[in-house]
Amino acid sequence: MWHHVLAAAKRERNTLKISNSSLFRQTVVRCNTILQHHHHHGNLLGTSNLSSGFSSRAASGGGSTADVALQLDYYMSLQFAGVACALVNDIYQSKGIQNLHILPTCPVGHEASRVRSYQSSNPGTLATFGSVEQNIFVPVLYDDPSLNVSAVASTFRRSPLCVASLNGELRGGDTIGAHEDTVELLTRIFPEQNVVASPRGTKNTDLLEGTYDGIQAYTTTEVPALRRLMEGRGLDPDAVKFRELEDIGDVKLGYSQMLFVANEALDEGSPDRRDAARAFLEGTFEGWQDAIRDPESAILAVHEARKMLNLDDESNDHWIRDSQSFEREMLDLVNDHVKETFLGDRLGVLVPRRWSEATEWLLQPKKKKGGDGIVIDPMFGLDRTGLWQPPSNLLSGNEIGREALHDAKLSALAYERAHGRKPRLAVITVGELARYEHSERRLRLYSNSSNSWFAKTDVGRANGFEVTEISVES
């Protein structure tokens, strides 16, 4: 079965005519794609009632034009596990998408231009999507509004960008190696350090060999890979220190692995296009539900998707090949980010307030350069049509809770800098409640150890507090 799909992918340059992948499902049990809501928890994946009603032209005898096209901003890896699960488990097909065209990888920062170019050259394609960081997307679109694209959803609520080092706090004059598209951003955040463009493929090795004092890294990838490299060299992996960029001062980077689409798909006068775009998002986030519920099968799905798409071309030192433990750790970290995008009745929601705060911060340099006459629209680049927003009659406290917790973290970090120690927090448990018997399972499905009711001690420590547990018999 799969050799037919692979042959078709090669013939049509990654346009997949999605067919029943029963052979794969004989070896990988398909996950339940609906995650059940539990009302005691504050950060949940709810039971989804989404239904796009999209009917593919291919299914009704239409031509071979792709229903949907997708430009990833990296090679097929575990950060796209939801897409891989949706491909391999026929979820896109179940949503009516018969032809999905995956575009070749592109240079960093060119994702929006590639999406615009493809959609303009292939007007019959109903929706062309791309993935990218908000901190890349917003400045690029601001410089060229003719790209005519909008952000509609996101895989990560928070950027995993950090700077990793081996010697604790970076000092003035230290050199930081960064990706070429992020040099300007890091220079703004680290004005006392020397930020230079560096090769992506050898960044961990360069740090270990002293080429740089710090490197741009991702908490989901380079950091766990770096620790394993150090173990292999007989070094202490705990020597790796990193600072997440959004924990520094007033930095606001917004969403990561954000999904944007050519604006043709948002035209409210084109219901076929909107239905196709919504069907793609439904399929993608159902794929993520699969990845969260059954990570081991999701890892296999990513391996299979790489073969299908031939998008596994980068050789680097921040990806530990053939390491099951590394892949599982990375996917668990990625899933933790994905779960934080849940709002109302779905994953992947962009919250206008968070988007606007990040957009204003990201465009501050351009406003200063343009003078007092420049007015920044804080909603710039965000879909105004509500394509992937939950129903307005659903009230959710998720985002309020996340913002309050982040404020507490920033306060704790400031306290430690001022007083030389972490603020103290006591977690008092009185007796045992039977309803918490499955807390570990609920934590894995619905949240993570940095913001969950079911892991109070871990939450305190992850957010900068010294935690003492006190148990009292009831």
Side-chain angles (χ1 to χ4, degrees):
M1 174 68 71
W2 277 114
H3 67 277
H4 295 305
V5 177
L6 292 173
K10 292 176 181 177
R11 284 196 306 270
E12 302 191 24
R13 297 184 61 195
N14 294 341
T15 297
L16 299 185
K17 294 183 180 298
I18 303 172
S19 59
N20 186 349
S21 52
S22 59
L23 179 60
F24 182 79
R25 284 203 297 267
Q26 289 174 8
T27 56
V28 180
V29 179
R30 182 171 181 176
C31 312
N32 184 345
T33 61
I34 300 297
L35 294 182
Q36 299 299 320
H37 180 85
H38 188 277
H39 70 278
H40 291 300
H41 199 280
N43 185 16
L44 306 180
L45 306 181
T47 301
S48 175
N49 294 316
L50 304 176
S51 178
S52 69
F54 171 62
S55 178
S56 167
R57 295 163 304 174
S60 60
S64 60
T65 303
D67 296 321
V68 175
L70 173 63
Q71 174 70 69
L72 300 177
D73 61 341
Y74 194 58
Y75 299 95
M76 173 52 68
S77 69
L78 293 165
Q79 68 201 58
F80 304 118
V83 173
C85 286
L87 280 171
V88 170
N89 291 343
D90 296 336
I91 298 175
Y92 290 131
Q93 183 187 31
S94 75
K95 299 297 178 181
I97 299 173
Q98 302 300 319
N99 296 320
L100 177 61
H101 185 87
I102 309 294
L103 302 176
T105 53
C106 68
V108 291
H110 291 223
E111 296 82 7
S113 63
R114 290 293 179 89
V115 166
R116 169 46 47 208
S117 176
Y118 183 84
Q119 182 64 64
S120 296
S121 299
N122 299 271
T125 295
L126 297 175
T128 302
F129 282 87
S131 68
V132 75
E133 320 296 303
Q134 184 178 352
N135 63 273
I136 300 296
F137 176 81
V138 167
V140 166
L141 183 61
Y142 184 85
D143 287 340
D144 186 4
S146 69
L147 292 171
N148 200 26
V149 293
S150 296
V152 290
S154 190
T155 304
F156 293 6
R157 175 186 175 271
R158 176 181 168 88
S159 173
L161 264 176
C162 68
V163 166
S165 64
L166 303 179
N167 302 310
E169 290 287 329
L170 292 170
R171 296 163 296 186
D174 281 350
T175 299
I176 300 173
H179 300 174
E180 60 179 316
D181 64 339
T182 317
V183 169
E184 184 177 348
L185 175 69
L186 289 188
T187 299
R188 179 181 173 192
I189 298 172
F190 294 94
E192 297 181 0
Q193 283 74 38
N194 179 34
V195 181
V196 299
S198 61
R200 297 204 313 178
T202 59
K203 61 169 70 175
N204 281 346
T205 301
D206 290 340
L207 178 64
L208 291 176
E209 294 181 350
T211 304
Y212 307 112
D213 303 295
I215 57 169
Q216 172 189 337
Y218 293 86
T219 58
T220 53
T221 312
E222 285 92 343
V223 171
L226 183 57
R227 287 173 173 156
R228 282 169 169 76
L229 285 174
M230 294 184 70
E231 287 178 341
R233 295 186 179 200
L235 302 174
D236 179 11
D238 291 334
V240 178
K241 306 298 180 185
F242 64 90
R243 292 186 69 186
E244 294 181 66
L245 299 189
E246 282 210 336
D247 291 341
I248 300 174
D250 65 346
V251 175
K252 297 184 186 300
L253 301 182
Y255 293 91
S256 182
Q257 292 303 301
M258 181 270 295
L259 294 171
F260 65 96
V261 70
N263 283 343
E264 288 89 334
L266 301 176
D267 183 356
E268 294 181 317
S270 301
D272 285 352
R273 290 185 180 277
R274 289 183 64 83
D275 286 345
R278 192 177 294 110
F280 173 79
L281 294 173
E282 289 177 13
T284 297
F285 289 108
E286 285 189 25
W288 276 112
Q289 290 175 351
D290 276 7
I292 292 166
R293 184 169 287 276
D294 189 350
E296 296 300 330
S297 293
I299 290 170
L300 293 177
V302 170
H303 292 177
E304 191 65 33
R306 284 182 193 149
K307 298 174 184 176
M308 293 167 60
L309 304 174
N310 194 29
L311 291 181
D312 183 27
D313 299 332
E314 183 172 70
S315 175
N316 59 60
D317 63 5
H318 53 268
W319 186 276
I320 308 300
R321 299 276 174 173
D322 303 318
S323 171
Q324 294 180 346
S325 64
F326 172 76
E327 290 189 313
R328 179 58 190 268
E329 181 181 5
M330 180 180 174
L331 182 55
D332 286 344
L333 291 169
V334 166
N335 281 341
D336 283 347
H337 278 279
V338 175
K339 287 178 283 187
E340 289 195 0
T341 66
F342 178 83
L343 193 70
D345 64 347
R346 67 194 69 193
L347 290 168
V349 178
L350 294 173
V351 177
R353 176 177 171 177
R354 178 166 177 77
W355 176 273
S356 62
E357 288 178 348
T359 295
E360 289 184 306
W361 187 88
L362 292 166
L363 293 181
Q364 276 179 11
K366 297 185 182 296
K367 184 175 182 179
K368 290 179 180 179
K369 185 177 180 180
D372 295 336
I374 299 297
V375 177
I376 301 296
D377 177 4
M379 304 295 282
F380 177 77
L382 182 65
D383 170 34
R384 310 296 180 98
T385 71
L387 179 76
W388 193 246
Q389 290 294 310
S392 59
N393 62 345
L394 290 180
L395 300 179
S396 174
N398 301 55
E399 190 65 16
I400 296 173
R402 293 174 190 130
E403 289 178 354
L405 190 58
H406 185 61
D407 289 344
K409 181 177 183 178
L410 294 179
S411 177
L413 294 174
Y415 182 94
E416 183 178 11
R417 287 193 297 272
H419 301 285
R421 68 172 181 85
K422 298 178 185 293
R424 297 188 177 98
L425 172 70
V427 176
I428 303 174
T429 302
V430 180
E432 295 184 4
L433 293 178
R435 69 185 184 187
Y436 294 149
E437 288 179 354
H438 305 293
S439 59
E440 290 186 9
R441 173 71 170 167
R442 292 170 183 169
L443 175 64
R444 185 166 72 81
L445 292 179
Y446 307 132
S447 190
N448 60 60
S449 57
S450 67
N451 67 4
S452 173
W453 173 267
F454 296 112
K456 301 180 187 68
T457 298
D458 290 338
V459 169
R461 290 171 179 158
N463 288 279
F465 292 84
E466 179 183 322
V467 183
T468 299
E469 294 185 86
I470 302 173
S471 297
V472 180
E473 292 185 5
S474 58

